Coordinates of all heavy atoms in Angstrom, one line a residue:
R87 N -12.4 42.5 55.1 CA -12.7 42.3 56.5 C -13.2 43.6 57.1 O -12.6 44.7 57.0 CB -11.5 41.8 57.2 CG -11.0 40.4 56.8 CD -11.1 39.4 57.9 NE -11.1 38.1 57.4 CZ -11.5 37.0 58.0 NH1 -12.1 37.2 59.2 NH2 -11.4 35.8 57.5
N88 N -14.3 43.6 57.8 CA -14.9 44.7 58.5 C -14.3 44.8 59.8 O -14.5 44.0 60.7 CB -16.4 44.5 58.6 CG -17.1 45.5 59.5 OD1 -16.6 46.6 59.7 ND2 -18.2 45.1 60.1
V89 N -13.4 45.9 60.0 CA -12.8 46.1 61.3 C -13.7 46.8 62.3 O -13.5 46.7 63.5 CB -11.5 46.9 61.1 CG1 -10.7 47.1 62.4 CG2 -10.6 46.1 60.1
G90 N -14.7 47.5 61.8 CA -15.6 48.2 62.6 C -16.2 49.4 62.0 O -15.7 50.0 61.0
E91 N -17.3 49.9 62.5 CA -17.9 51.1 62.0 C -17.2 52.3 62.6 O -16.8 52.4 63.7 CB -19.4 51.2 62.5 CG -20.2 52.3 61.9 CD -21.7 52.3 62.3 OE1 -22.2 51.2 62.6 OE2 -22.3 53.3 62.2
V92 N -16.9 53.2 61.7 CA -16.1 54.4 62.0 C -17.0 55.6 62.4 O -16.8 56.3 63.4 CB -15.2 54.8 60.8 CG1 -14.5 56.1 61.2 CG2 -14.2 53.7 60.5
S93 N -18.1 55.8 61.6 CA -18.9 57.0 61.9 C -20.3 56.8 61.2 O -20.4 56.0 60.3 CB -18.3 58.3 61.4 OG -18.1 58.2 60.0
T94 N -21.2 57.6 61.6 CA -22.5 57.7 61.0 C -22.8 59.2 60.7 O -22.8 60.0 61.6 CB -23.6 57.1 61.8 OG1 -23.4 55.7 62.1 CG2 -25.0 57.2 61.1
E95 N -23.0 59.5 59.4 CA -23.4 60.9 59.1 C -24.6 60.9 58.2 O -24.6 60.5 57.0 CB -22.2 61.5 58.3 CG -20.9 61.7 59.1 CD -19.8 62.4 58.4 OE1 -20.1 62.8 57.2 OE2 -18.7 62.4 58.9
G96 N -25.7 61.3 58.8 CA -27.0 61.3 58.0 C -27.4 59.9 57.5 O -27.5 59.0 58.3
P97 N -27.6 59.8 56.2 CA -28.0 58.5 55.7 C -26.9 57.5 55.5 O -27.2 56.4 55.1 CB -28.6 58.9 54.4 CG -27.8 60.1 53.9 CD -27.5 60.8 55.2
L98 N -25.7 57.8 55.9 CA -24.6 56.9 55.6 C -23.8 56.5 56.8 O -23.6 57.3 57.7 CB -23.6 57.5 54.6 CG -24.1 57.7 53.1 CD1 -23.1 58.4 52.3 CD2 -24.5 56.3 52.5
R99 N -23.3 55.3 56.8 CA -22.4 54.8 57.8 C -21.1 54.5 57.1 O -21.0 54.0 56.0 CB -22.9 53.5 58.5 CG -24.2 53.7 59.2 CD -25.0 52.4 59.3 NE -24.4 51.4 60.1 CZ -24.7 50.1 60.2 NH1 -25.7 49.7 59.4 NH2 -24.1 49.3 61.0
Q100 N -20.0 54.8 57.8 CA -18.6 54.6 57.3 C -18.0 53.4 58.0 O -18.0 53.4 59.3 CB -17.8 55.8 57.4 CG -16.4 55.7 56.8 CD -16.4 55.8 55.3 OE1 -17.3 56.4 54.7 NE2 -15.4 55.2 54.7
F101 N -17.5 52.4 57.3 CA -16.8 51.3 57.9 C -15.3 51.3 57.6 O -14.9 51.8 56.6 CB -17.4 50.0 57.4 CG -18.8 49.8 57.9 CD1 -19.9 50.3 57.2 CD2 -19.1 49.1 59.1 CE1 -21.2 50.1 57.6 CE2 -20.4 48.9 59.5 CZ -21.5 49.3 58.8
N102 N -14.6 50.7 58.5 CA -13.1 50.5 58.3 C -13.0 49.1 57.7 O -13.2 48.1 58.4 CB -12.4 50.7 59.6 CG -10.9 50.5 59.5 OD1 -10.4 50.5 58.4 ND2 -10.2 50.4 60.6
L103 N -12.6 49.1 56.4 CA -12.5 47.8 55.7 C -11.0 47.6 55.4 O -10.3 48.5 55.0 CB -13.3 47.8 54.5 CG -14.8 48.0 54.6 CD1 -15.5 48.0 53.3 CD2 -15.5 47.0 55.6
E104 N -10.6 46.3 55.4 CA -9.3 45.9 55.0 C -9.4 44.8 54.0 O -10.1 43.8 54.2 CB -8.5 45.4 56.2 CG -8.2 46.5 57.3 CD -7.4 46.0 58.4 OE1 -7.2 44.7 58.5 OE2 -7.0 46.8 59.3
V105 N -8.7 44.9 52.9 CA -8.7 43.8 51.9 C -7.9 42.6 52.4 O -6.8 42.7 52.9 CB -8.1 44.3 50.6 CG1 -8.0 43.2 49.5 CG2 -8.9 45.5 50.0
S106 N -8.6 41.4 52.3 CA -8.0 40.2 52.8 C -7.3 39.4 51.6 O -7.6 39.7 50.4 CB -9.1 39.3 53.4 OG -8.6 38.0 53.6
N107 N -6.4 38.5 51.9 CA -5.8 37.7 50.9 C -6.6 36.5 50.6 O -6.3 35.8 49.6 CB -4.4 37.2 51.4 CG -3.3 38.3 51.4 OD1 -3.3 39.1 50.5 ND2 -2.4 38.2 52.4
E108 N -7.7 36.3 51.3 CA -8.6 35.1 51.0 C -9.1 35.2 49.6 O -9.6 36.3 49.1 CB -9.7 35.1 52.0 CG -9.3 34.8 53.4 CD -10.3 35.2 54.5 OE1 -10.6 36.4 54.5 OE2 -10.8 34.3 55.2
L109 N -9.0 34.1 48.8 CA -9.5 34.0 47.5 C -8.8 35.0 46.5 O -9.3 35.2 45.4 CB -11.0 34.2 47.4 CG -11.9 33.2 48.2 CD1 -13.3 33.6 48.0 CD2 -11.6 31.8 47.7
S110 N -7.6 35.5 46.9 CA -7.0 36.6 46.1 C -6.6 36.0 44.7 O -6.5 36.7 43.8 CB -5.8 37.2 46.8 OG -4.8 36.2 47.1
D111 N -6.3 34.7 44.7 CA -5.9 34.1 43.4 C -7.1 34.0 42.4 O -6.8 33.7 41.2 CB -5.3 32.7 43.6 CG -6.3 31.7 44.3 OD1 -7.1 32.2 45.1 OD2 -6.3 30.5 43.9
L112 N -8.3 34.3 42.9 CA -9.5 34.3 42.0 C -9.9 35.7 41.6 O -11.0 35.8 40.9 CB -10.6 33.5 42.7 CG -10.4 32.0 42.9 CD1 -11.6 31.4 43.6 CD2 -10.2 31.3 41.5
K113 N -9.2 36.7 42.1 CA -9.6 38.1 41.8 C -9.7 38.3 40.3 O -8.8 37.9 39.5 CB -8.5 39.0 42.3 CG -8.8 40.5 42.1 CD -7.8 41.4 42.7 CE -7.9 42.8 42.4 NZ -9.1 43.4 43.0
N114 N -10.9 38.8 39.8 CA -11.2 39.1 38.4 C -11.3 37.8 37.6 O -11.4 37.9 36.3 CB -10.2 40.1 37.8 CG -10.2 41.4 38.5 OD1 -11.2 41.9 38.9 ND2 -9.0 42.0 38.6
R115 N -11.2 36.7 38.2 CA -11.3 35.4 37.4 C -12.6 34.6 37.7 O -13.1 34.0 36.8 CB -10.1 34.5 37.8 CG -8.7 35.1 37.4 CD -7.6 34.2 38.0 NE -7.8 32.8 37.5 CZ -7.4 31.7 38.2 NH1 -6.9 31.8 39.4 NH2 -7.6 30.5 37.6
L116 N -13.0 34.7 38.9 CA -14.3 34.0 39.3 C -15.5 34.7 38.9 O -15.7 35.9 39.2 CB -14.2 33.7 40.8 CG -15.5 33.2 41.4 CD1 -15.8 31.7 40.9 CD2 -15.4 33.2 42.9
V117 N -16.4 34.1 38.1 CA -17.7 34.7 37.7 C -18.8 33.7 38.2 O -18.7 32.5 37.9 CB -17.7 34.8 36.2 CG1 -19.1 35.4 35.8 CG2 -16.6 35.7 35.7
I118 N -19.8 34.3 38.8 CA -20.9 33.5 39.2 C -22.2 34.1 38.6 O -22.2 35.2 38.0 CB -21.1 33.6 40.8 CG1 -21.4 35.0 41.2 CG2 -19.9 33.1 41.5 CD1 -21.9 35.1 42.7
G119 N -23.2 33.2 38.6 CA -24.6 33.6 38.1 C -25.3 34.2 39.3 O -25.5 33.6 40.3
W120 N -25.7 35.5 39.2 CA -26.4 36.2 40.2 C -27.9 36.1 40.0 O -28.5 36.7 39.1 CB -26.0 37.7 40.3 CG -26.4 38.4 41.5 CD1 -27.6 39.0 41.8 CD2 -25.6 38.6 42.7 NE1 -27.6 39.6 43.0 CE2 -26.4 39.3 43.6 CE3 -24.3 38.1 43.1 CZ2 -25.9 39.6 44.9 CZ3 -23.9 38.5 44.3 CH2 -24.6 39.2 45.2
R121 N -28.6 35.2 40.8 CA -29.9 34.8 40.5 C -31.0 35.8 40.9 O -32.1 35.8 40.4 CB -30.3 33.5 41.3 CG -29.5 32.3 40.8 CD -29.7 31.1 41.7 NE -29.2 29.8 41.1 CZ -29.1 28.7 41.8 NH1 -29.4 28.7 43.1 NH2 -28.6 27.6 41.2
S122 N -30.6 36.7 41.7 CA -31.6 37.7 42.2 C -31.3 39.1 41.6 O -30.5 39.8 42.2 CB -31.6 37.8 43.7 OG -31.8 36.5 44.3
P123 N -31.8 39.4 40.5 CA -31.4 40.7 39.8 C -31.6 41.9 40.5 O -30.8 42.9 40.4 CB -32.2 40.6 38.5 CG -33.4 39.8 38.8 CD -32.9 38.7 39.7
R124 N -32.6 42.0 41.4 CA -32.8 43.2 42.2 C -32.1 43.3 43.5 O -32.0 44.3 44.1 CB -34.3 43.3 42.5 CG -35.2 43.4 41.2 CD -36.7 43.5 41.6 NE -37.0 44.7 42.4 CZ -37.2 45.9 41.8 NH1 -37.2 46.1 40.5 NH2 -37.4 47.0 42.6
A125 N -31.5 42.2 43.9 CA -30.7 42.2 45.2 C -29.3 42.5 44.9 O -28.6 42.1 44.0 CB -30.8 40.8 45.8
W126 N -28.7 43.4 45.8 CA -27.3 43.8 45.7 C -26.5 43.2 46.9 O -25.3 43.2 46.9 CB -27.1 45.3 45.7 CG -27.7 46.0 46.9 CD1 -28.9 46.4 47.1 CD2 -26.9 46.3 48.1 NE1 -29.1 47.0 48.4 CE2 -27.8 46.9 49.0 CE3 -25.6 46.1 48.5 CZ2 -27.4 47.4 50.2 CZ3 -25.2 46.5 49.7 CH2 -26.1 47.2 50.6
R127 N -27.2 42.7 47.9 CA -26.6 42.1 49.1 C -27.3 40.9 49.5 O -28.5 40.8 49.5 CB -26.6 43.1 50.3 CG -25.8 42.7 51.5 CD -26.0 43.6 52.7 NE -27.4 43.6 53.1 CZ -27.9 42.6 54.0 NH1 -27.2 41.7 54.4 NH2 -29.2 42.7 54.3
L128 N -26.5 39.8 49.8 CA -27.1 38.5 50.2 C -26.3 38.0 51.4 O -25.2 38.3 51.6 CB -26.9 37.5 49.0 CG -27.5 37.8 47.7 CD1 -27.0 36.8 46.6 CD2 -29.0 37.8 47.7
N129 N -27.1 37.2 52.2 CA -26.3 36.5 53.3 C -25.5 35.3 52.7 O -25.8 34.9 51.6 CB -27.3 36.0 54.4 CG -28.4 35.1 53.9 OD1 -28.0 34.1 53.1 ND2 -29.6 35.3 54.3
G130 N -24.5 34.9 53.4 CA -23.6 33.9 52.9 C -24.3 32.6 52.4 O -24.0 32.1 51.3
P131 N -25.2 32.0 53.3 CA -25.8 30.7 52.9 C -26.6 30.8 51.6 O -26.6 29.9 50.8 CB -26.7 30.4 54.1 CG -26.0 31.1 55.3 CD -25.5 32.3 54.7
T132 N -27.3 32.0 51.3 CA -28.0 32.1 50.1 C -27.1 32.2 48.9 O -27.2 31.5 47.9 CB -28.9 33.4 50.1 OG1 -29.9 33.2 51.2 CG2 -29.6 33.6 48.8
A133 N -26.0 33.1 49.0 CA -25.1 33.2 48.0 C -24.3 32.0 47.7 O -23.9 31.7 46.5 CB -24.1 34.4 48.3
S134 N -24.1 31.1 48.7 CA -23.3 29.9 48.5 C -23.9 29.0 47.5 O -23.2 28.1 47.0 CB -23.0 29.3 49.8 OG -24.2 28.7 50.4
Q135 N -25.2 29.1 47.3 CA -25.9 28.2 46.3 C -25.9 28.7 44.9 O -26.4 28.1 44.0 CB -27.3 28.0 46.8 CG -27.5 27.4 48.2 CD -26.7 26.2 48.4 OE1 -26.8 25.2 47.6 NE2 -25.8 26.1 49.4
Y136 N -25.3 29.9 44.7 CA -25.2 30.5 43.4 C -24.2 29.7 42.5 O -23.2 29.3 43.0 CB -24.9 32.0 43.4 CG -26.1 32.9 43.7 CD1 -27.2 32.4 44.4 CD2 -26.1 34.2 43.4 CE1 -28.3 33.2 44.7 CE2 -27.1 35.0 43.7 CZ -28.2 34.5 44.3 OH -29.3 35.3 44.6
P137 N -24.5 29.6 41.2 CA -23.6 28.7 40.4 C -22.3 29.5 40.0 O -22.4 30.7 39.7 CB -24.5 28.4 39.2 CG -25.4 29.6 39.1 CD -25.7 30.0 40.5
V138 N -21.3 28.7 39.9 CA -20.0 29.3 39.3 C -20.1 29.1 37.8 O -20.3 28.0 37.3 CB -18.8 28.5 39.8 CG1 -17.5 28.9 39.1 CG2 -18.6 28.8 41.3
I139 N -20.0 30.2 37.1 CA -20.1 30.2 35.6 C -18.8 30.0 35.0 O -18.6 29.3 34.0 CB -20.8 31.5 35.1 CG1 -22.3 31.5 35.6 CG2 -20.7 31.6 33.6 CD1 -23.0 32.8 35.2
E140 N -17.8 30.6 35.6 CA -16.5 30.7 34.9 C -15.4 30.9 35.9 O -15.6 31.6 36.9 CB -16.5 31.8 33.9 CG -15.1 32.0 33.2 CD -15.2 33.3 32.3 OE1 -16.3 33.7 31.9 OE2 -14.1 33.8 32.0
I141 N -14.2 30.2 35.7 CA -13.0 30.6 36.4 C -12.0 30.8 35.3 O -11.4 29.8 34.8 CB -12.5 29.5 37.4 CG1 -13.6 29.4 38.5 CG2 -11.2 30.0 38.1 CD1 -13.3 28.3 39.6
A142 N -11.7 32.0 35.0 CA -10.9 32.3 33.8 C -9.4 32.0 34.1 O -9.0 32.0 35.3 CB -11.0 33.8 33.5
D143 N -8.6 31.8 33.1 CA -7.2 31.6 33.2 C -6.6 32.9 33.8 O -7.0 34.0 33.4 CB -6.5 31.3 31.9 CG -6.8 29.9 31.4 OD1 -7.2 29.1 32.2 OD2 -6.7 29.7 30.2
S144 N -5.7 32.7 34.7 CA -5.0 33.8 35.3 C -4.0 34.4 34.4 O -3.5 33.8 33.6 CB -4.3 33.4 36.6 OG -3.4 32.4 36.4

Side-chain angles (χ1 to χ4, degrees):
R87 295 244 165 199
N88 167 26
V89 180
E91 186 174 337
V92 177
S93 63
T94 301
E95 295 182 9
L98 291 176
R99 299 155 68 192
Q100 183 75 28
F101 291 88
N102 181 10
L103 302 181
E104 297 179 351
V105 177
S106 167
N107 285 326
E108 294 161 298
L109 300 178
S110 59
D111 60 322
L112 293 177
K113 179 180 176 66
N114 297 324
R115 297 174 55 214
L116 170 66
V117 179
I118 65 170
W120 195 271
R121 291 174 172 169
S122 306
R124 296 180 64 84
W126 62 272
R127 185 188 66 83
L128 302 169
N129 60 46
T132 298
S134 68
Q135 302 308 308
Y136 279 24
V138 172
I139 295 177
E140 173 187 341
I141 300 179
D143 288 341
S144 55

